[in-house]
Amino acid sequence: MSFDSLGLSTELLQAISDEGYTRPTPIQKQAIPVILSGKDILASAQTGTGKTAGFTLPMLQLLSKAKEQSEKKRVRALIVAPTRELAIQVGKSVETYGRHLPLNSVVIYGGASFNPQITKLREGVDIIIATPGRLLDLVKKRVVDLSSVEFLVLDEADRMLDMGFIPDIREIISLLRKKRQNLLFSATFSAEIRKLAGGILNKPVQVEVSARNTSPHEVREEIHLVNMEHKQAHLSYIIGSRRWEQVLVFITTKLSADELTKQLRLDGLITETIHGDKTQGARARALEGFKEGRVRVLVATDIAARGLDIDKLPHVVNYDLPKVAEDYVHRIGRTGRAGNEGLALSLVSHEEFGLLKDIEKLIKHTIERVETHDEWSEPVAQAKGKKVARPTGQRRGKSYQKKSPAPKKKSSESRSKSRGQRSSKRR
Ligand code: AMP
């Protein structure tokens, strides 16, 4: 199936062709005709499925078709996203896909100066892409009037729920006109999401593109059994010995993200971190450095990494396992995107076996275990007080770019390689 058969205008087909897309993704195939017909939608789709174009393209078409010729601009579409990063990402998509259309948009998010956002709003915009808190701040300052919004998108609604944004969302919705089209996207359909959707959507068409909570097919997964206190050394070793040029490392807390970043830098790896306590500027710089390839390791907490879209990211590491099993699927979905292959490697300590069991139950398969240095997989209690050798080639302050000699015992690298050769890619 080609994009031509979806009923999109020539301006949008041109933008799609500019991007080099040849075929719509499953979510686009399903969602675009439904949205164009004016119906509400409840869609289950994760980042990486092409969901942004799935709602942006038909939205732009509907807005441009009905575009008024009046002098004064009104805000006609509102896209709400849980994080600054996702809002910026969606804003870029709106600009990209709408480049041949006479529609204006603004991205509104906290942690940045009010002035440029206010200036843009005063000039008049058709589309606002916003995080909830800053949007409400601007409503209170009376610089934005949402009463003409006829098109509402709630992106990553499950994450908004996790982040406690639902009261804000309800307040925002109370400011919109009653007659409008609503789209709700969520990676998971929990009972709470259904309840939220029930209060917002009007007879929605439900769209679910992939089996819920499965791992992306293009991602190969590995579990490395590593004691907690040896995880950092093992990570440096893996990055160096496998000669990884880029890796996104997930970690649960902001504090441990900072500590890990410090240690990886001591090991000579160019590392940056993004988490909720970093300023918007610092987060943007770190992300840009990573996207441009100047930063080799990006350490991120789950929330900060939401919506990150990095083309061809080959490796993702779970430094610790997420407390919520569904987050594992989100994390590893950062790699293996748009048909590229990816590897998701999880460092798992004894304390995390319970979480691992939950994840494997959710994704309905057992992840390949890769043995590490034998001493490392001993229970932590036994290893305590005992001097554990760092793997060979693991010296502080040295880069692992250089060829490092093999560890004493059979290395995790060679084992994983031979296993990797044996195990065919999961499809
Ligand atoms: P999303 O799930 O919206 O974050 O999109 C994931 C990635 O897929 C983005 O980098 C898009 O540029 C890309 N993408 C979206 N639609 C298509 C398509 N039909 N063909 C190829 N790539 C696409």
Side-chain angles (χ1 to χ4, degrees):
M1 185 197 224
S2 74
F3 276 103
D4 296 351
S5 53
L6 291 175
L8 293 168
S9 66
T10 43
E11 290 86 352
L12 291 167
L13 291 175
Q14 181 59 50
I16 291 166
S17 143
D18 296 345
E19 285 309 287
Y21 304 164
T22 49
R23 275 192 311 271
T25 65
I27 182 80
Q28 292 163 2
K29 261 188 248 171
Q30 290 191 47
I32 292 174
V34 177
I35 300 171
L36 285 177
S37 75
K39 293 195 179 110
D40 281 9
I41 223 173
L42 174 60
S44 162
Q46 290 156 14
T47 304
T49 56
K51 70 177 166 73
T52 316
F55 65 75
T56 305
L57 291 165
M59 177 194 78
L60 291 169
Q61 172 139 331
L62 294 175
L63 292 175
S64 62
K65 247 179 152 180
K67 191 162 164 57
E68 289 172 307
Q69 299 305 314
S70 75
E71 294 278 290
K72 190 167 177 347
K73 284 209 178 193
R74 298 177 296 119
V75 179
R76 295 169 57 214
L78 173 64
I79 303 170
V80 188
T83 63
R84 296 174 266 209
E85 282 76 11
L86 183 62
I88 293 169
Q89 202 85 51
V90 173
K92 276 197 192 130
S93 298
V94 168
E95 268 188 23
T96 304
Y97 304 134
R99 68 162 75 98
H100 304 298
L101 295 170
L103 296 166
N104 308 47
S105 60
V106 63
V107 186
I108 286 186
Y109 50 87
S113 161
F114 275 98
N115 289 341
Q117 298 177 5
I118 292 178
T119 309
K120 200 99 188 254
L121 282 167
R122 292 220 163 106
E123 284 166 13
V125 293
D126 302 282
I127 305 157
I128 293 182
I129 304 103
T131 54
R134 173 57 68 95
L135 180 63
L136 285 172
D137 287 346
L138 289 168
V139 167
K140 278 167 201 143
K141 283 181 187 284
R142 295 182 183 277
V143 277
V144 57
D145 173 7
L146 299 175
S147 63
S148 317
V149 168
E150 58 205 69
F151 205 96
L152 171 71
V153 183
L154 298 181
D155 198 8
E156 302 205 347
D158 53 335
R159 188 53 52 160
M160 294 207 242
L161 200 98
D162 291 349
M163 292 169 77
F165 284 149
I166 300 310
D168 285 356
I169 297 297
R170 292 198 194 287
E171 193 177 339
I172 291 166
I173 289 173
S174 73
L175 304 167
L176 313 180
R177 70 179 207 183
K178 294 267 174 308
K179 194 173 172 322
R180 51 166 207 272
Q181 189 173 358
N182 304 288
L183 318 179
L184 187 148
F185 284 78
S186 182
T188 52
F189 276 168
S190 64
E192 274 171 300
I193 287 292
R194 284 182 192 281
K195 195 172 147 214
L196 175 76
I200 299 170
L201 308 177
N202 176 27
K203 295 193 200 123
V205 175
Q206 195 162 321
V207 175
E208 198 165 353
V209 281
S210 57
R212 252 175 271 170
N213 303 323
T214 51
S215 320
H217 292 312
E218 299 81 3
V219 179
R220 195 161 64 84
E221 294 160 88
E222 285 181 12
I223 294 288
H224 288 210
L225 301 173
V226 189
N227 286 331
M228 197 71 88
E229 64 261 49
H230 305 127
K231 282 189 175 183
Q232 184 271 312
H234 186 65
L235 175 60
S236 291
Y237 168 68
I238 288 290
I239 296 171
S241 61
R242 295 192 182 191
R243 291 172 170 64
W244 285 356
E245 282 175 12
Q246 281 222 300
V247 55
L248 174 62
V249 179
F250 280 100
I251 193 160
T252 308
T253 70
K254 298 171 213 168
L255 212 68
S256 45
D258 284 334
E259 181 54 31
L260 176 62
T261 302
K262 212 165 89 189
Q263 293 302 328
L264 293 174
R265 284 177 181 162
L266 284 173
D267 279 343
L269 298 166
I270 299 168
T271 305
E272 289 296 343
T273 181
I274 53 169
H275 59 60
D277 283 352
K278 294 272 170 195
T279 62
Q280 174 59 18
R283 281 158 73 161
R285 277 194 300 280
L287 197 56
E288 206 177 294
F290 191 63
K291 282 187 173 176
E292 287 173 2
R294 284 180 278 114
V295 172
R296 190 172 179 192
V297 187
L298 185 67
V299 176
T301 56
D302 291 275
I303 287 175
R306 257 326 251 212
L308 284 194
D309 179 18
I310 299 154
D311 278 350
K312 300 192 179 133
L313 175 64
H315 313 109
V316 164
V317 166
N318 291 311
Y319 192 78
D320 48 24
L321 289 182
K323 301 279 176 283
V324 180
E326 280 87 358
D327 281 348
Y328 175 82
V329 181
H330 297 314
R331 285 179 173 194
I332 72 168
R334 306 293 120 181
T335 180
R337 293 162 74 107
N340 294 303
E341 284 183 31
L343 170 72
L345 187 155
S346 303
L347 306 180
V348 179
S349 69
H350 292 268
E351 294 86 341
E352 294 172 300
F353 280 171
L355 296 172
L356 178 58
K357 259 170 67 186
D358 291 346
I359 289 167
E360 292 187 326
K361 204 167 132 203
L362 179 82
I363 59 177
K364 296 190 184 73
H365 66 261
T366 305
I367 309 167
E368 181 193 2
R369 266 68 166 164
V370 174
E371 283 172 51
T372 54
H373 194 292
D374 287 348
E375 270 180 299
W376 289 8
S377 45
E378 286 174 14
V380 173
Q382 282 179 34
K384 260 192 189 146
K386 187 160 136 187
K387 199 163 177 278
V388 183
R390 289 165 77 79
T392 318
Q394 193 75 10
R395 267 166 279 132
R396 294 223 175 272
K398 288 259 163 97
S399 160
Y400 293 95
Q401 284 281 37
K402 304 253 159 58
K403 196 169 185 290
S404 53
K408 266 194 302 203
K409 300 190 180 177
K410 195 177 183 186
S411 74
S412 55
E413 172 70 354
S414 61
R415 284 176 204 216
S416 72
K417 259 194 186 154
S418 55
R419 276 168 196 238
Q421 279 154 5
R422 264 181 272 136
S423 70
S424 59
K425 203 174 67 169
R426 212 169 31 74
R427 283 272 160 207

